[in-house]
Amino acid sequence: ELNKFSKRSNEILINRAFKLHAQGNVLEAEKYYKFLLDKELNHPLVLCNYGVICKQMGRVDEAILLYKKSIRLFPKHADAYSNLGNILKGLEKYNEARIYCLKAIEINPNYAEAYSNLGSILRELREFTYAESCIRKAILIMPDLINAHVHLGNILMDQGKLKEAEESQR
């Protein structure tokens, strides 16, 4: 009976953290995420969401550790791979970032954000044709993904397709 109560109270805490985070109350959400992780309650979304907060607050190394821990504990959770790929892209570690984004897509073939991230990474690697196809796949999956349209416009500009680039940017 105590175990049931403990499990239910953990669910309440997790849901409260998610709600605070979704409402933009990042500092309160962070307290909940820390508390849950200090209790060694590892949950893929707790690890990933806390990683997002750490990245937003400039604690990139901490975010990387959280995503790697999530990958180790939950190897089928695509968000950690995609988020880690995005951080590595920001650190200009494009080949490593590419690997993580590809893994996210392998796990979830309809993961628009991962395709968009991969496309922007491939742009940095100057693989424009492959980058464009990844971005178009992201837009096909999620037509209102703004970052994908921006990335597509940039890739098209790189290729001198200015009219198409302008349309994509609009």
Side-chain angles (χ1 to χ4, degrees), residues 25-67:
N25 193 343
V26 176
L27 296 177
E28 269 312 295
E30 179 180 22
K31 289 177 188 173
Y32 277 84
Y33 293 141
K34 276 185 180 176
F35 177 78
L36 291 163
L37 293 175
D38 287 346
K39 282 181 58 174
E40 295 187 21
L41 183 81
N42 294 306
H43 183 286
L45 291 176
V46 168
L47 290 162
C48 280
N49 288 355
Y50 188 32
V52 167
I53 289 173
C54 290
K55 181 185 177 213
Q56 288 172 339
M57 298 178 116
R59 300 188 327 249
V60 175
D61 291 341
E62 192 175 347
I64 289 171
L65 291 175
L66 288 162
Y67 295 137

Side-chain angles (χ1 to χ4, degrees), residues 72-118:
R72 188 176 67 253
L73 297 174
F74 308 98
K76 298 287 187 207
H77 191 250
D79 289 352
Y81 293 94
S82 182
N83 291 355
L84 183 53
N86 201 26
I87 282 184
L88 293 169
K89 178 186 79 175
L91 297 173
E92 297 181 2
K93 296 181 178 183
Y94 301 119
N95 287 313
E96 194 177 350
R98 171 192 209 152
I99 291 166
Y100 284 104
C101 287
L102 285 168
K103 185 64 178 174
I105 291 166
E106 177 187 320
I107 294 167
N108 179 359
N110 292 311
Y111 197 167
E113 291 91 343
Y115 278 105
S116 182
N117 286 343
L118 179 58

Side-chain angles (χ1 to χ4, degrees), residues 162-170:
L162 301 181
K163 181 113 172 97
E164 279 184 79
E166 183 182 353
E167 288 173 20
S168 179
Q169 293 289 349
R170 287 180 192 259

Side-chain angles (χ1 to χ4, degrees), residues 6-16 41:
S6 177
K7 193 173 187 177
R8 178 70 185 131
S9 62
N10 288 340
E11 288 174 21
I12 291 169
L13 291 172
I14 289 170
N15 289 332
R16 181 74 181 139
L41 183 81

